[in-house]
Amino acid sequence: MRSENKPKKNHARRHARDFNFLTKLYQIYALYILFLPFSSLFYSIKFKKGDCNIKKPCIVAPNHISYFDPFLATLASGIGIAYMAKKELFEGDSFLAKYVTRNVTRLGAFAVNREKLEVSTIKSTKEVFKANFSLCIFPQGGIRKNKRIENVNKGFVVVAKMAKVDILPVAISGVEQYNWNIFKRAKINLEVGKPISYLDDEIGRAHV
């Protein structure tokens, strides 16, 4: 019988040891065994990386238009990435809620309060970079119904300056509307921009 006095797990607090080889292995499984084979039935992905060469952990900052975006962000930046995910994903006692929580945690996600930057979030962010992982932050917070880039939260800039890491802008398009027509594959455009230094005075204007 579950004790009512059992402390609630803090999904916002993670440590460097939580981002490890098993996390990378699970990301490989999710991306290359599950997502890409499934998405290839309905989409073709045009990946443009340009001359960008990512050599060190950074903040990956994509626009947010679909539930595919975390996988596309991983494809753009490479395995070894953590994610800030809305705290609502980690709430609830239903089987589905627990299943989602367990799997997004395995992928390297931790909860964040989108209304304000909390101490636990800052501490977890530092642990991500200590583990030599990059960190994916969606500057828009959530998916916009109109699929436009608007109401960008500058919290990712604060994190970049605090952690002294560059920002990698990633642009995603083509999934504004989901395509379930197996006979007509839609095109997803995935483009990686030039990293923006956390020392840049104009970093506050950074956008994807």
Side-chain angles (χ1 to χ4, degrees):
M1 181 177 179
R2 183 179 178 180
S3 172
E4 294 182 359
N5 296 322
K6 185 177 180 180
K8 188 175 181 180
K9 185 175 181 179
N10 184 0
H11 294 288
R13 188 69 178 99
R14 303 295 298 279
H15 299 85
R17 63 177 178 272
D18 297 319
F19 307 102
N20 50 43
F21 172 74
L22 290 179
T23 308
K24 292 182 178 181
L25 196 62
Y26 200 74
Q27 289 179 2
I28 291 172
Y29 170 75
L31 180 63
Y32 293 104
I33 305 300
L34 298 180
F35 175 72
L36 288 178
F38 169 77
S39 63
S40 66
L41 296 175
F42 307 97
Y43 297 93
S44 62
I45 300 176
K46 184 179 180 181
F47 184 17
K48 184 178 179 181
K49 195 172 183 178
D51 58 357
C52 173
N53 188 13
I54 308 169
K55 295 182 178 180
K56 57 184 180 180
C58 61
I59 289 179
V60 182
N63 58 315
H64 206 357
I65 58 175
S66 77
Y67 292 108
F68 292 170
D69 298 341
F71 299 102
L72 295 171
T74 304
L75 182 62
S77 59
I79 298 298
I81 182 172
Y83 312 85
M84 275 191 183
K86 61 182 181 180
K87 65 178 183 177
E88 290 80 6
L89 281 177
F90 300 84
E91 297 175 347
D93 292 322
S94 67
F95 172 79
L96 180 60
K98 291 179 179 179
Y99 177 81
V100 171
T101 296
R102 182 168 62 252
N103 283 281
V104 296
T105 300
R106 286 175 177 173
L107 282 171
F110 59 94
V112 61
N113 184 338
R114 294 182 293 178
E115 301 299 322
K116 62 179 180 179
L117 193 61
E118 299 177 328
V119 174
S120 56
T121 302
I122 296 174
K123 289 182 178 179
S124 295
T125 296
K126 291 180 179 180
E127 294 295 306
V128 168
F129 296 119
K130 186 185 294 185
N132 206 35
F133 269 54
S134 289
L135 175 63
C136 178
I137 302 177
F138 293 103
Q140 294 170 260
I143 300 173
R144 298 287 180 265
K145 290 183 179 180
N146 59 15
K147 308 302 181 180
R148 295 179 180 177
I149 301 177
E150 58 186 13
N151 300 324
V152 173
N153 189 316
K154 298 297 178 65
F156 74 109
V157 175
V158 175
V159 172
K161 288 184 174 294
M162 175 198 69
K164 297 182 179 181
V165 295
D166 295 341
I167 294 174
L168 183 70
V170 176
I172 302 171
S173 63
V175 207
E176 289 80 2
Q177 297 292 332
Y178 294 108
N179 172 50
W180 304 118
N181 186 348
I182 197 171
F183 300 106
K184 187 177 180 180
R185 296 170 74 206
K187 182 184 291 184
I188 295 177
N189 293 300
L190 180 62
E191 185 171 355
V192 179
K194 183 179 179 180
I196 303 170
S197 172
Y198 69 91
L199 296 173
D200 193 334
D201 292 334
E202 300 297 316
I203 195 173
R205 300 178 185 177
H207 64 276
V208 291

